[in-house]
Amino acid sequence: MERQDKVYSEISMVGRNPSKYEHEDVYRMPLLLATIYESARLLPSGPMLQRCSMKHDLRFATGVTVPAGAVLVVPVQLVQKDAFNWGKDASAFNPYRFLSNITKESGSEEQLDYGISSFVLNDPCENAAFLPFGSGTRACVGQKYVIQVVATLLASLFKKYEIRLNTGSDGDSEPISKNPLVQHNPNSQIIFVRRDQ
């Protein structure tokens, strides 16, 4: 709930002082965007990427050879939950992994007292393991549009509603098995509670 309150504060701050071009306001909400990127990292739309290798054999310095015409498969969910790329908490939801603190000019790493705006969004594509939209020249051409639309939709929802899990529902949000790649049961009911305005 605390994270949702911080996102709501960020949306409220930007809403009080909208930019000339409203569609650019989402880029002034780094925590909201980081939340979307973290959701895409943990729950990618596709389980794997496939590519056909080049016309010639590819030899790596390690001695591995990829034969010409071989189909290469990248298991996206495994890569995006790999501790080597994402840290010890790779399977946990942590949108702060996409944010950096603004530092004082003196170079100290103290967080400035600017509230939510004390964070800067890191480009998620700088980490080669971020693959919910693919990568390189074959990446999804609609990536920026999708992020913009989802951010606008969530900002509109959070502005008017608080989102909660219905604790009285019969479903639970426990994983189906202990496998970290298994998604949570879809039985948990989400309820929208209108905010007092």
Side-chain angles (χ1 to χ4, degrees), residues 9-188:
S9 296
E10 183 178 72
I11 293 166
S12 297
M13 287 171 62
V14 170
R16 279 187 223 126
N17 186 19
S19 68
K20 184 176 179 182
Y21 305 102
E22 284 184 28
H23 65 278
E24 292 179 0
D25 284 341
V26 295
Y27 299 109
R28 295 171 48 213
M29 301 181 218
L31 183 56
L32 175 65
L33 290 171
T35 300
I36 294 167
Y37 286 131
E38 181 68 348
S39 299
R41 181 186 75 84
L42 288 173
L43 299 168
S45 59
M48 66 181 126
L49 297 172
Q50 294 183 27
R51 296 289 182 266
C52 188
S53 65
M54 301 184 197
K55 295 178 183 177
H56 305 287
D57 289 357
L58 178 64
R59 290 180 179 81
F60 291 98
T62 59
V64 173
T65 300
V66 177
V71 176
L72 305 173
V73 178
V74 178
V76 176
Q77 286 183 320
L78 287 176
V79 172
Q80 294 194 154
K81 292 184 180 180
D82 181 40
F84 180 79
N85 292 299
W86 299 104
K88 293 178 183 176
D89 68 339
S91 292
F93 182 82
N94 178 12
Y96 293 98
R97 74 179 78 245
F98 291 101
L99 299 172
S100 295
N101 286 335
I102 296 175
T103 56
K104 292 186 176 184
E105 289 181 56
S106 65
S108 70
E109 294 187 15
E110 292 179 37
Q111 184 174 326
L112 297 179
D113 191 21
Y114 293 148
I116 300 300
S117 62
S118 64
F119 291 109
V120 174
L121 185 69
N122 301 327
D123 182 2
C125 296
E126 288 179 6
N127 186 336
F130 185 74
L131 298 171
F133 299 99
S135 179
T137 56
R138 296 189 150 239
C140 175
V141 294
Q143 175 179 349
K144 289 187 178 188
Y145 178 73
V146 168
I147 296 299
Q148 172 95 30
V149 168
V150 170
T152 304
L153 174 68
L154 286 176
S156 299
L157 280 173
F158 280 153
K159 214 182 283 186
K160 295 184 180 183
Y161 299 97
E162 185 179 328
I163 300 171
R164 298 182 189 163
L165 283 178
N166 186 1
T167 55
S169 68
D170 292 337
D172 57 34
S173 61
E174 292 300 315
I176 296 168
S177 76
K178 296 193 187 249
N179 184 336
L181 295 179
V182 175
Q183 296 178 7
H184 291 278
N185 284 332
N187 296 339
S188 297

Side-chain angles (χ1 to χ4, degrees), residues 8 159-162 193-197:
Y8 175 69
K159 214 182 283 186
K160 295 184 180 183
Y161 299 97
E162 185 179 328
V193 179
R194 192 160 189 75
R195 294 185 188 274
D196 297 328
Q197 300 215 344

